[in-house]
Amino acid sequence: MIRVLIAAALCAPLLSGCVIYANEGGERDVVVNWSDHAKPALEAVRSARIADGRLIARVDSNGCTDATHFAVDLTPVDDGVTNIALRRNAEDLCKALVPDGVEVSWSMEELGIASGTPTRLLNPTKL
């Protein structure tokens, strides 16, 4: 009985709700259904900007990090601003040395944010 309980406890994180699917363009989209207790912390970003209609963030990487490693949470706020939160949903298990990290990006259209909408990135920054 104890072995069953230990096995169940070890498998529980593997059963969290994350679905990766391909759209018509062959791009992979990530849809995450977080339960409040399982929601990962906000990813610390080195820098972030919006340029050419894209949200671009520089994040830590071990060599394999790309945009599919992140879930983007959007929360409209009463003041007309849309809060954006980046949460890493997949570890980068590669072993490369990437001292400056990598840039990951999403188009504002892909995120469902209309052009000109004020946005606020909630993630902490790090140097």
Side-chain angles (χ1 to χ4, degrees):
M1 181 65 172
I2 292 177
R3 287 184 183 177
V4 172
L5 291 174
I6 291 172
L10 292 174
C11 291
L14 300 174
L15 300 175
S16 64
C18 178
V19 177
I20 299 175
Y21 64 91
N23 61 19
E24 292 104 23
E27 296 174 3
R28 294 182 345 170
D29 292 327
V30 178
V31 178
V32 179
N33 181 16
W34 308 116
S35 60
D36 285 345
H37 66 280
K39 188 181 280 192
L42 296 176
E43 178 78 5
V45 298
R46 294 170 180 245
S47 65
R49 67 187 186 282
I50 294 177
D52 299 322
R54 298 188 70 77
L55 167 63
I56 304 165
R58 182 168 292 279
V59 296
D60 288 340
S61 174
N62 291 332
C64 296
T65 298
D66 62 34
T68 63
H69 286 116
F70 294 90
V72 182
D73 295 340
L74 302 175
T75 309
V77 185
D78 292 338
D79 60 2
V81 173
T82 297
N83 287 338
I84 302 172
L86 303 177
R87 298 180 192 279
R88 189 179 287 264
N89 60 20
E91 287 185 73
D92 181 344
L93 300 176
C94 292
K95 304 290 185 201
L97 296 176
V98 187
D100 294 328
V102 297
E103 285 191 338
V104 293
S105 71
W106 300 264
S107 72
M108 299 305 274
E109 181 181 356
E110 177 183 5
L111 295 175
I113 300 174
S115 178
T117 301
T119 58
R120 179 183 303 124
L121 184 66
L122 300 178
N123 294 66
T125 56
K126 70 185 266 185
L127 300 175

